[in-house]
Amino acid sequence: GHPREGYRLLIAHTHGHADHVSGDVQFSDRPDTTVVDRDLGSVQTFFGFTAWPREIVPLDLGGRILEVTGSPGHHAASISVFDPWSGFLLTGDTAYPGRLYVEDPYAFRDSLEALVDLASSRPVSAVMGCHVEMTRTPGKDYPIGTRYQPDEARLSVSVDQLCAIAAAASVVAARPGVHRFDDFVIFNGRCTSALVHQMLRLISETLRLWWRPTTPSGIA
């Protein structure tokens, strides 16, 4: 309906963990395509950051301008993106209804406080992360690796919930370990024993579903 001379494709990520970037290779030789590398220097250079991370820079997609800001804490090169057209604040793995894995708790705290400030000055309609791991039961998450989540929480969270995540991150910043809240769980540091427990939960749940008796019709 509104043709242009050319359409370029941009491949960029909220951060560089493997579950977000492992598909990039399929675009490596594609014409008119830019793939932004996962390292911090590449992210800063591509988006034009000069005062990382507390800076908001524009990204022009061709008449639709997004606002990009740094959000380190989960990952050194994490970014968040606000889309004024939809009102979506895209937070990657920094804020969502699930397990929030934190590499740097103080950077994580500061990033969330900055996101709250951004949301208070923009018409944010929804905060959109990249995962759903919480059930609709307060404080209860699905085990790592779960593929069937019939009672999962909504992906989008409100600005009030974003504020709650920021407040919790501030409270637990100096406390390594797992901190459970109604709508999310904060993992400060490696939390190896907790991750092992998560895997055991998954095995237990898988066996429970596998051994679940069925009706004569074969329907569980």
Side-chain angles (χ1 to χ4, degrees):
H2 303 280
R4 297 177 182 269
E5 291 183 2
Y7 293 90
R8 296 190 56 83
L9 178 64
L10 170 64
I11 310 299
H13 308 280
T14 56
H15 64 290
H17 286 155
D19 58 322
H20 293 256
V21 305
S22 59
D24 285 3
V25 63
Q26 66 187 300
F27 301 104
S28 59
D29 297 323
R30 187 181 187 280
D32 298 321
T33 300
T34 299
V35 180
V36 182
D37 288 338
R38 69 176 74 185
D39 63 282
L40 178 57
S42 296
V43 170
Q44 291 173 323
T45 299
F46 175 80
F47 289 105
F49 284 102
T50 59
W52 173 271
R54 298 287 85 86
E55 181 181 9
I56 298 174
V57 297
L59 174 63
D60 190 347
L61 298 181
R64 183 165 178 173
I65 300 176
L66 309 180
E67 297 182 331
V68 184
T69 189
S71 302
H74 171 73
H75 182 270
S78 289
I79 60 169
S80 294
V81 181
F82 176 65
D83 175 16
W85 188 85
S86 66
F88 288 174
L89 176 58
L90 309 175
T91 55
D93 283 5
T94 298
Y96 61 84
R99 292 179 293 275
L100 308 178
Y101 298 104
V102 181
E103 293 181 356
D104 183 334
Y106 296 103
F108 187 69
R109 174 200 63 191
D110 294 346
S111 292
L112 281 161
E113 290 176 352
L115 287 175
V116 168
D117 289 342
L118 186 153
S120 68
S121 61
R122 305 291 195 279
V124 173
S125 60
V127 179
M128 306 288 284
C130 288
H131 301 276
V132 180
E133 295 157 347
M134 301 303 291
T135 69
R136 282 179 279 184
T137 301
K140 182 180 180 182
D141 61 331
Y142 288 97
I144 289 176
T146 303
R147 297 186 178 185
Y148 179 59
Q149 301 184 175
D151 191 44
E152 70 179 16
R154 291 167 55 94
L155 171 63
S156 62
V157 300
S158 66
V159 173
D160 285 344
Q161 288 172 305
L162 176 65
C163 293
I165 296 173
S170 180
V171 169
V172 305
R175 295 159 48 194
V178 180
H179 307 280
R180 189 171 295 276
F181 300 87
D182 283 353
D183 300 326
F184 54 91
V185 185
I186 296 179
F187 277 60
N188 270 348
R190 295 179 62 86
C191 304
T192 303
S193 61
L195 293 175
V196 171
H197 175 68
Q198 285 283 335
M199 295 307 298
L200 292 175
R201 285 182 62 201
L202 176 62
I203 293 171
S204 175
E205 180 66 12
T206 301
L207 290 174
R208 185 186 71 81
L209 292 173
W210 193 71
W211 284 105
R212 184 173 56 182
T214 59
T215 66
S217 65
I219 301 174

